[in-house]
C-alpha cells in the first residue's frame, strides 16, 4: 500500500508527531530528590535520551520520519508502533539515578515531558493506521452482509 491516498493529512501528523517526540526527548522526563530531615540533599533529573529505551524510541522516531518520506505506509505503521512501545517502556520503567553511598533512598517522579512524549507516540501510531482503515472495513468479495439479497 502506498501513501498516495486522497487523505494525506495522516502522513503530516505522523511526521510531525515523530519530530516533536525527538525534540521532547531532550526535556527532563524524570526527577529524583533525596530529602534528609526536610533538607534536599540531592535533586537530579534525566532526559528521555538518558534511558536506553528512550534512545530506542528516539531512533525509531527518526525511522518513522524516514519511512514517511520514503512513502512506505507498512513500515511507517511498524516503526510507529515500535516507537510507541519503546516510549511506553521509557515512561513507565525509566528513572533518574542518584548515588549516595550512605543512603539508599530513591524516589522517582515522571515529569510532564515524559507524559507528553507518550501522548505524541500514541497519536503518531494512531495516525499511522489511517491508510489501513478502509481495507479493514471493506467487505470481502463474494460475501454479502447478512440479510441482503
Amino acid at each position: 500500500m502506498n501513501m498516495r491516498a486522497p487523505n494525506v493529512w495522516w502522513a503530516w501528523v505522523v511526521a510531525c508527531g515523530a519530530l516533536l517526540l525527538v525534540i521532547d526527548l531532550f526535556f527532563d522526563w524524570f526527577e529524583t530528590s533525596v530529602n534528609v530531615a526536610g533538607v534536599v540533599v540531592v535533586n537530579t533529573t534525566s532526559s528521555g535520551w538518558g534511558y536506553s529505551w528512550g534512545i530506542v524510541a528516539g531512533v525509531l522516531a527518526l525511522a518513522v520520519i524516514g519511512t514517511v518520506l520514503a512513502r512506505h505506509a507498512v513500515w511507517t505503521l511498524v516503526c510507529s508502533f515500535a516507537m510507541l512501545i519503546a516510549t511506553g517502556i521509557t515512561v513507565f520503567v525509566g528513572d533518574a539515578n542518584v548515588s549516595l553511598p550512605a543512603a539508599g533512598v530513591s524516589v522517582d517522579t515522571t515529569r510532564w515531558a515524559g507524559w507528553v512524549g507518550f501522548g505524541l507516540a500514541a497519536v503518531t501510531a494512531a495516525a499511522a493506521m489511517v491508510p489501513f482503515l478502509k481495507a479493514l472495513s471493506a467487505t470481502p468479495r463474494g460475501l454479502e452482509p447478512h440479510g441482503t439479497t
Side-chain angles (χ1 to χ4, degrees), residues 21 25 29-30 47-48 50-58 60 80-96 110 114-115 117-119 121-122:
L21 176 63
L25 284 168
W29 279 36
F30 307 104
S47 72
Y51 189 66
S52 61
W53 282 101
I55 295 170
V56 171
L60 285 168
S80 63
F81 270 97
M83 178 186 69
L84 175 62
I85 292 169
T87 305
I89 292 172
T90 302
V91 168
F92 291 109
V93 180
D95 59 358
T110 302
W115 297 112
F118 186 65

Side-chain angles (χ1 to χ4, degrees), residues 139-140 142-149:
T139 304
L143 295 178
E144 295 295 326
H146 184 69
T148 60
T149 56

Side-chain angles (χ1 to χ4, degrees), residues 10-25 29 48-49 51-68 74-92 114-129:
W10 67 270
W12 285 98
V13 172
V14 170
C16 289
L19 180 64
L20 288 173
L21 176 63
V22 170
I23 294 168
D24 185 62
L25 284 168
W29 279 36
W49 292 107
Y51 189 66
S52 61
W53 282 101
I55 295 170
V56 171
V59 170
L60 285 168
L62 294 173
V64 166
I65 294 170
T67 58
V68 167
V74 174
W75 283 108
T76 300
L77 182 66
V78 169
C79 289
S80 63
F81 270 97
M83 178 186 69
L84 175 62
I85 292 169
T87 305
I89 292 172
T90 302
V91 168
F92 291 109
W115 297 112
V116 168
F118 186 65
L120 287 169
V123 167
T124 301
M129 290 190 320

